[in-house]
């Protein structure tokens, strides 16, 4: 089960971001709740940040949901950022579940794919 | 000659059994070390396989049973504990006994094998009820073990696993399936997102992902299907063997070939797209023939195949030196060393002749031959050099078994296992080391309760170390046991008549008593030691190796035995001296310096055999007198000052000729009682020089001195 701490952050340029700090484990038990929170968040903000720094483990439903949400946010013309997704335990889960990519996938090209670990820009 | 493969198997099996013993002892210390478990499994697998191949069926079938248990250990179904290691060591000994029996033509002890198998089976997990039923139904089917599903070759499979969307509803954990696959070998998974719907349509509790898994393993397809056995109705599964692991498959598969192989494009599609100048993956995506997922999976596959081929190439390269090495019987090496010895002698003669003839050409050839002979000698002697570590691992087992017999707790520590010594020296060191180790364990290390009561840790320590010191090796055996009591040693020596009541002995001399024949301080003779023969035998064996042995002890704190052993027994660097025209050889390692001895010096010492060397007095032995040589000594004699057994002592000779390569020849049984001479050598002119045993000369001088003192009293 995961927990979310929500806060609104204003950037120096005056842009408002909705920041979700997630902790715990994201798996099938709680995945429906995460989908609801993401939809809710994106409907109330132009820029949603999901921070996985305190996430201990994820199963493939979490990664699957992130893929779909990443595409959805872009289609809505909004910004979605998944921060700290390459911490050691999460990197290990991404690799184990076969989500780590070099060239993106059929849904996302390399520059948009969440799982291409090409540097700090996306992380 | 017909027996050669069997002979090769025996030699290999003995080596593997030695490795197995070391690995089992290591496993006892680190029961979770899967690398060691792998080593044990591989050693047994090889013994089993080669045994069956060469007709050693008893060995093969018994080893198969032990291997099965270790396969379960490898798979995490059986856990390692002390009892399993104990039975495994007994099983290893049994395999060795079976091998010995085969070699000696004796009857194999199969009853022990049956008993051990029964004990091993107690470690096996009980069969699952379903499997039990299956076994009953298929009584004629051989029992399935992993060993039957494995081959030596690493194969690569492409596994396409497409779960049905509702698979998660029955509690299936996809990550557990992927982990189980990863346990079979090296695994690379690629999630395929083709079925992923839009976020709004996505039911997050359904599975839209499918997986392409590349598995490199020794297992067969059935083992892979077993992983998916409980989800076979909830998923589509396709398994393809894409690399058989056999030699010859060295052509790197191109991306297009892989996609054709996967049935995703045809050769025509490839050819058509290749006409454009873009990268093939990009072109195929643009052409709509494959999606990015398929390209990603194919790229991964390409990488895996390339890695496997690279590994195979490097393994092949690693094997090259092995295949170019030869197994040579030790006797042939001995023969070679003897021939090199002869060569050294002839070369020495050539050099002498060249020097006498004053022929510059001959002298130049002699010098060249000398240089080559020296290289040949060093190379030949190096072939015989082995690391002493192989002996150390035997002692690990010895210490473990003795500790277990005596209910003592002992930590065995070694150092310098890589130190190299001549093969013969290592072999001849075995018995003395066994004696000393047994003494340490039996007499030195106290019972755990006794140690605790004395404020010591319950766990005693026995140390065995080796290190190079010039052209010798120092071997040290140390324990932190009760040490030796000089009073007790003296008392015992008196009772045994080794010393007299009036003999005054310093600490060092008291410890030397332990090396006297028939000496033993233990009250009761035990099965391990205490028969009073051990240390006497040790001293003689070390002397036979031209080595020396010393013992130091602190009562209550422990004992240290230190041995200095020459690196080789065949050829030594030495100093050639003469006495009344006869040549003698002094090992160069013992020589510190040479000084002159004049009549004036002798007179100044008032009949005592003492020379003043740069301010300090050094006792000496006039060898003319010691050997009873008649005739007058030259007006200026030479003292060769040596250091033996921690003592500085001079040996007076007529002349010092110079350094000499000495090929040691035994003197033969007729001279076995000649204690002060350890061997002989043939000089360049064909004459013989005797090799002085400095330790014995020193001992003889001490005894004579004591007799003189007694006579004076």
């Amino acid at each position: 089960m995961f927990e979310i701490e929500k806060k609104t952050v204003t950037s120096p340029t005056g842009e408002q971001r909705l920041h979700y700090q997630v902790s715990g484990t994201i798996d099938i038990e709680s995945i429906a709740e995460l989908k609801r929170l993401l939809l809710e968040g994106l409907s109330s903000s132009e820029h949603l940040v999901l921070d996985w720094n305190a996430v201990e483990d994820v199963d493939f439903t979490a990664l699957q949901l992130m893929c779909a949400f990443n595409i959805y946010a872009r289609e809505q013309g909004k910004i979605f950022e998944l921060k700290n997704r390459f911490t050691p335990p999460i990197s290990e889960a991404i690799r184990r579940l076969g989500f780590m990519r070099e060239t993106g996938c059929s849904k996302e090209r390399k520059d948009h794919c969440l799982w291409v670990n090409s540097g700090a820009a996306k992380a | 000659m017909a027996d050669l493969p069997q002979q090769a198997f025996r030699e290999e099996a003995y080596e593997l059994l030695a490795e197995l013993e070391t690995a089992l002892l290591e496993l006892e210390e680190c029961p979770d070390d899967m690398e060691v478990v792998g080593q044990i499994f591989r050693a047994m697998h090889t013994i089993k396989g080669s045994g069956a191949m060469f007709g050693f069926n008893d060995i093969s079938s018994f080893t198969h049973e032990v291997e099965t248990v270790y396969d379960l250990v490898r798979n995490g179904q059986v856990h390692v504990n002390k009892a399993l290691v104990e039975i495994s060591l007994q099983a290893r000994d049994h395999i060795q006994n079976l091998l010995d029996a085969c070699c000696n033509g004796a009857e194999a002890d199969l009853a022990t094998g049956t008993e051990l198998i029964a004990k091993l089976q107690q470690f096996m997990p009980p069969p699952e009820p379903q499997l039990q039923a299956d076994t009953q139904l298929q009584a004629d089917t051989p029992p399935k073990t992993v060993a039957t599903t494995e081959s030596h070759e690493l194969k690569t499979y492409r596994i396409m696993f497409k779960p049905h969307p509702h698979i998660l509803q029955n509690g299936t954990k996809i990550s557990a399936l992927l982990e189980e696959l990863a346990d079979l070998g090296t695994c690379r998974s690629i999630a395929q997102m083709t079925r992923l719907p839009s976020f709004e349509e996505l039911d997050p509790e359904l599975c839209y992902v499918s997986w392409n898994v590349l598995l490199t393993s020794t297992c067969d397809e059935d083992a892979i299907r077993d992983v998916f056995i409980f989800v076979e109705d909830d998923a589509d599964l396709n398994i393809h063997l894409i690399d058989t692991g056999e030699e010859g498959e060295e052509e790197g598969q191109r991306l297009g070939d892989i996609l054709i192989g996967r049935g995703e494009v045809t050769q025509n599609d490839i050819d058509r797209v290749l006409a454009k100048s873009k990268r093939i993956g990009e072109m195929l995506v643009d052409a709509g023939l494959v999606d990015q997922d398929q390209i990603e999976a194919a790229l991964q596959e390409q990488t895996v195949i390339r890695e496997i081929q690279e590994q195979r190439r490097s393994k092949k390269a690693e094997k090259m030196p092995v295949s170019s090495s030869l197994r040579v019987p030790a006797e042939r090496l001995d023969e070679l060393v003897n021939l090199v010895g002869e060569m050294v002698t002839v070369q020495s003669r050539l050099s002498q002749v060249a020097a006498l003839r004053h022929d510059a050409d001959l002298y130049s050839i002699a010098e060249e031959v000398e240089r080559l002979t020296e290289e040949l000698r060093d190379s030949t002697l190096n072939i015989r050099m082995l690391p002493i570590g192989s002996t150390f691992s035997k002692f690990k087992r010895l210490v473990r078994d003795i500790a277990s017999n005596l209910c003592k707790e002992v930590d065995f520590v070694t150092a310098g296992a890589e130190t190299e010594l001549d093969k013969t020296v290592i072999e001849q060191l075995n018995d003395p080391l066994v004696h000393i180790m047994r003494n340490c364990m039996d007499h030195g290390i106290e019972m755990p309760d006794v140690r605790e009561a004395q404020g010591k840790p319950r766990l005693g320590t026995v140390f065995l170390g080796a290190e190079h010191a010039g052209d010798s090796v120092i071997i040290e055996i140390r324990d932190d046991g009760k040490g030796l009591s000089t009073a007790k040693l003296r008392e015992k020596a008196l009772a045994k008549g080794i010393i007299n009541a009036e003999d005054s002995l310093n600490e060092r001399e008291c410890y030397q008593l332990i090396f006297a024949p028939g000496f033993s301080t233990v009250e009761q003779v035990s099965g391990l030691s205490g028969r009073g023969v051990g240390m006497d035998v040790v001293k003689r064996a070390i002397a036979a190796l031209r080595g020396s042995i010393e013992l130091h002890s602190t009562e209550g704190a422990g004992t240290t035995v230190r041995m200095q052993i020459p690196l080789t027994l065949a050829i030594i660097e030495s100093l050639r001296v003469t006495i009344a025209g006869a040549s003698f050889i002094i090992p160069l390692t013992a020589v510190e310096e040479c000084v002159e001895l004049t009549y004036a010096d002798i007179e100044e010492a008032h009949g005592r055999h003492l020379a003043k060397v740069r301010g300090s007095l050094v006792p000496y032995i006039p060898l003319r007198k010691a050997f009873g040589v008649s005739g007058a000594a030259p007006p200026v004699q030479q003292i060769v000052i040596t250091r033996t057994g921690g003592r500085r002592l001079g040996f007076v000779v007529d002349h010092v000729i110079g350094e000499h390569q000495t090929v040691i020849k035994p003197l033969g049984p007729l001279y076995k009682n000649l204690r002060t001479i350890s061997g002989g050598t043939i000089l360049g002119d064909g004459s013989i020089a005797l090799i002085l045993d400095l330790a014995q000369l020193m001992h003889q001088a001490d005894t004579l001195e004591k007799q003189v003192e007694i006579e004076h009293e």
Side-chain angles (χ1 to χ4, degrees):
Chain A
M1 188 64 194
F2 66 84
E3 281 177 21
I4 277 194
E5 197 187 310
K6 300 176 196 171
K7 57 183 175 186
T8 305
V9 182
T10 309
S11 75
T13 56
E15 185 215 5
Q16 289 220 319
R17 290 176 195 171
L18 187 58
H19 194 277
Y20 283 3
Q21 178 75 43
V22 194
S23 59
T25 301
I26 311 171
D27 58 15
I28 191 163
E29 304 288 323
S30 51
I31 200 69
E33 172 64 4
L34 183 61
K35 182 182 177 186
R36 192 189 62 74
L37 287 167
L38 290 172
L39 262 178
E40 184 187 279
L42 205 64
S43 60
S44 62
S45 173
E46 292 300 304
H47 190 153
L48 176 65
V49 178
L50 196 64
D51 191 339
W52 275 11
N53 193 35
V55 174
E56 288 153 17
D57 198 9
V58 292
D59 73 0
F60 92 93
T61 60
L63 305 184
Q64 175 181 267
L65 185 72
M66 289 304 112
C67 288
F69 188 65
N70 191 37
I71 300 164
Y72 175 70
R74 203 170 54 255
E75 283 169 356
Q76 299 295 311
K78 297 193 175 184
I79 300 168
F80 167 58
E81 257 188 86
L82 182 58
K83 279 184 83 170
N84 294 312
R85 59 185 182 277
F86 292 118
T87 60
I90 306 305
S91 282
E92 171 51 26
I94 296 170
R95 191 201 52 74
R96 191 176 63 235
L97 292 162
F99 278 69
M100 199 70 90
R101 315 304 280 209
E102 283 175 27
T103 62
C105 71
S106 54
K107 301 287 175 185
E108 289 277 40
R109 300 299 287 248
K110 189 175 179 177
D111 46 347
H112 294 302
C113 179
L114 290 171
W115 316 118
V116 177
N117 188 6
S118 56
K122 281 182 178 287
Chain B
M1 288 300 277
D3 206 24
L4 266 181
Q6 280 86 349
Q7 182 57 33
F9 164 71
R10 282 182 204 127
E11 283 173 16
E12 190 189 15
Y14 279 121
E15 278 171 21
L16 286 165
L17 285 170
E19 280 171 26
L20 188 59
E21 187 172 55
T22 311
L24 283 168
L25 293 170
E26 217 173 297
L27 188 67
E28 192 170 36
E29 284 167 17
C30 318
D32 297 325
D33 193 332
M34 294 318 278
E35 210 170 298
V36 178
V37 171
Q39 274 174 26
I40 293 168
F41 180 82
R42 283 192 295 279
M44 284 186 296
H45 194 73
T46 312
I47 294 172
K48 182 189 82 169
S50 319
M53 198 184 297
F54 296 117
F56 295 84
N57 295 331
D58 292 339
I59 294 174
S60 177
S61 55
F62 177 77
T63 313
H64 170 74
E65 302 293 337
V66 197
E67 182 204 13
T68 306
V69 175
Y70 275 87
D71 193 46
L72 295 171
V73 172
R74 244 172 21 145
N75 296 334
Q77 289 165 268
V78 168
H79 292 285
V80 176
N81 57 23
K82 246 185 155 44
L84 177 62
V85 175
E86 178 60 44
I87 302 293
S88 307
L89 281 167
Q90 287 176 21
R92 177 246 167 240
D93 293 346
H94 180 65
I95 300 170
Q96 183 158 328
N97 290 341
L98 290 174
L99 198 60
D100 290 344
C102 291
C103 297
N104 305 330
E107 206 169 307
D109 173 16
L110 298 177
T112 307
T114 315
E115 210 175 289
L116 283 168
I117 290 169
K119 283 183 188 173
L120 278 166
Q121 276 166 350
Q122 289 170 8
F123 291 92
M124 309 271 262
E128 286 171 29
Q130 184 58 43
L131 284 178
Q132 232 170 359
D134 287 351
T135 316
Q136 280 161 5
L137 281 171
Q138 302 169 0
D140 55 346
T141 313
K144 186 187 169 202
T145 65
V146 178
T148 62
T149 68
E150 283 201 353
S151 70
H152 291 289
E153 299 296 346
L154 275 176
K155 290 174 279 193
T156 302
Y157 297 91
R158 179 198 306 134
I159 303 156
M160 291 163 126
F161 172 54
K162 191 174 176 182
H164 299 166
H166 294 278
I167 191 168
L168 305 175
Q169 287 171 357
N170 63 11
T172 301
K173 286 193 184 302
I174 302 283
S175 63
L177 291 173
L178 295 175
E179 275 168 30
E180 213 175 314
L181 270 185
D183 286 344
L184 292 177
T186 310
C187 197
R188 195 173 295 204
S189 305
I190 309 109
Q192 304 281 295
M193 311 305 292
T194 323
R195 294 187 295 164
L196 190 73
S198 69
F199 186 69
E200 287 144 312
E201 288 168 9
L202 179 131
D203 177 345
E205 291 177 356
L206 296 185
C207 176
Y208 301 99
V209 184
S210 53
W211 279 267
N212 254 266
V213 183
L214 295 164
L215 173 72
T216 304
S217 165
T218 52
C219 74
D220 68 8
E221 194 179 316
D222 287 344
I224 301 170
R225 288 197 180 275
D226 283 351
V227 172
F228 297 96
I229 197 160
F230 297 112
V231 295
E232 55 189 3
D233 294 334
D234 297 313
D236 298 331
L237 182 69
N238 285 301
I239 302 170
H240 302 281
L241 182 63
I242 55 169
D243 184 279
T244 59
E246 284 165 13
E247 302 279 340
E249 285 186 25
E250 291 303 308
E251 279 301 309
Q253 275 194 292
R254 290 169 301 175
L255 184 62
D257 294 337
I258 293 166
L259 288 165
I260 293 169
R262 295 158 68 91
E264 281 150 3
V265 291
T266 63
Q267 185 62 49
N268 283 342
D269 295 331
I270 299 281
D271 293 342
R272 186 158 35 87
V273 177
L274 269 179
K276 300 171 189 172
S277 60
K278 285 185 180 176
R279 289 178 69 183
I280 185 145
E282 213 179 313
M283 290 189 291
L284 290 167
V285 173
D286 289 347
L289 294 164
V290 290
D291 62 29
Q292 196 61 34
D293 268 340
Q294 289 162 320
I295 292 293
E296 179 81 21
L299 277 172
Q300 295 274 12
E301 191 171 317
Q302 191 181 40
T303 312
V304 166
I305 297 288
R306 277 183 186 153
E307 280 171 6
I308 292 163
Q309 288 177 350
E310 189 52 45
Q311 278 169 15
R312 205 181 290 148
R313 268 195 291 273
S314 46
K315 267 193 188 160
K316 211 173 163 184
E318 273 171 29
K319 277 182 188 169
M320 288 298 273
V322 176
S323 61
S324 66
S325 74
L326 283 175
R327 196 180 278 271
V328 179
E331 300 78 49
R332 286 199 198 166
L333 270 186
D334 293 342
E335 208 176 300
L336 179 66
V337 171
N338 279 338
L339 285 171
V340 171
E342 298 295 334
M343 181 86 172
V344 170
T345 308
V346 172
Q347 171 267 312
S348 156
R349 200 170 157 196
L350 176 66
S351 298
Q352 204 171 347
V353 171
L356 286 173
R357 292 202 179 163
H358 302 290
D359 180 335
D361 289 340
L362 184 61
Y363 200 73
S364 151
I365 295 169
E367 268 186 350
E368 185 75 357
V369 172
E370 188 175 343
R371 189 183 58 76
L372 288 172
T373 311
E374 218 164 275
E375 278 178 26
L376 181 66
R377 179 204 64 191
D378 291 347
S379 305
T380 311
L381 292 179
N382 267 339
I383 300 174
R384 294 170 54 93
M385 290 295 190
L386 290 177
I388 201 168
S390 52
T391 309
F392 283 9
S393 47
K394 268 191 264 171
F395 288 113
K396 197 169 186 180
R397 176 78 189 273
L398 182 82
V399 168
R400 179 194 177 276
D401 291 353
I402 296 176
S404 155
N405 279 346
L406 298 174
C407 302
K408 292 183 178 180
E409 292 170 21
V410 182
D411 184 20
F412 182 57
V413 182
T414 61
E418 69 291 343
T419 312
E420 287 191 330
L421 259 177
D422 187 281
K423 181 180 171 290
T424 317
V425 179
I426 289 185
E427 283 165 2
Q428 292 183 19
L429 261 178
N430 187 61
D431 288 349
L433 282 174
V434 168
H435 277 297
I436 299 170
M437 299 296 284
R438 284 187 167 167
N439 273 327
C440 282
M441 298 290 296
D442 199 15
H443 305 170
I445 303 288
E446 311 90 333
M447 295 301 285
D449 293 344
V450 175
R451 290 179 65 87
E452 214 163 32
Q454 290 171 353
K456 288 180 169 182
R458 285 178 69 85
L459 188 73
T461 304
V462 173
F463 170 87
L464 175 60
E467 61 173 352
H468 276 297
D471 59 358
S472 300
V473 166
I474 307 284
I475 295 172
E476 195 172 287
I477 302 110
R478 203 165 58 215
D479 69 67
D480 66 347
K482 61 186 170 200
L484 291 168
S485 151
T486 46
K488 226 173 176 180
L489 289 171
R490 204 188 140 79
E491 200 181 297
K492 204 83 188 176
L494 265 173
K496 296 260 177 187
I498 295 166
I499 55 166
N500 297 315
E502 58 275 15
D503 285 342
S504 68
L505 302 174
N506 61 25
E507 198 182 61
R508 192 179 160 275
E509 286 165 334
C510 277
Y511 292 139
Q512 288 300 315
L513 289 171
I514 211 159
F515 297 113
F519 187 91
S520 177
T521 56
V522 80
E523 300 299 332
Q524 275 188 324
V525 169
S526 75
L528 297 171
S529 55
R531 292 185 188 279
V533 292
M535 294 307 270
D536 172 37
V537 172
V538 167
K539 193 174 183 184
R540 269 192 279 139
I542 299 302
L545 289 170
R546 288 186 302 103
S548 61
I549 183 163
E550 281 176 66
L551 187 143
H552 301 283
S553 190
T554 309
E555 203 177 345
T559 303
T560 301
V561 178
R562 210 173 137 87
M563 295 185 278
Q564 183 160 4
I565 312 287
L567 283 176
T568 177
L569 295 177
I571 301 172
I572 56 164
E573 296 277 353
S574 56
L575 190 71
R576 188 179 147 208
V577 297
T578 58
I579 302 164
S583 289
F584 291 89
I585 297 293
I586 298 175
L588 203 59
T589 41
V591 177
E592 281 196 344
E593 60 182 313
C594 297
V595 293
E596 287 183 352
L597 179 72
T598 60
Y599 282 138
D601 296 329
I602 298 168
E603 274 171 27
E604 212 176 291
H606 304 292
R608 294 187 73 91
H609 294 149
L610 288 169
K612 215 172 191 178
V613 182
R614 284 189 298 279
S616 60
L617 288 173
V618 179
Y620 63 76
I621 300 170
L623 288 179
R624 269 182 169 269
K625 194 176 168 192
F627 294 150
V629 177
S630 56
V636 179
Q637 297 178 83
Q638 302 285 330
I639 312 175
V640 180
I641 298 177
T642 65
R643 187 173 286 277
T644 312
R647 283 173 69 189
R648 216 166 166 222
L649 186 69
F651 293 91
V652 180
V653 299
D654 289 359
H655 303 287
V656 172
I657 306 297
E659 284 186 31
H660 185 260
Q661 292 286 325
T662 300
V663 181
I664 302 170
K665 301 275 181 194
L667 287 179
L670 204 61
Y671 301 98
K672 68 177 180 193
N673 293 324
L674 197 58
R675 292 287 164 118
T676 51
I677 303 294
S678 63
T681 188
I682 301 164
L683 299 177
D685 61 1
S687 64
I688 290 180
L690 297 174
I691 303 165
L692 301 181
D693 187 331
L694 303 184
Q696 282 298 330
L697 276 165
M698 201 179 278
H699 178 69
Q700 201 179 57
D702 284 347
T703 317
L704 274 171
E705 201 177 325
K706 269 183 193 162
Q707 274 175 4
V708 171
E709 277 171 16
I710 292 164
E711 278 164 21
H712 278 297
E713 283 164 15

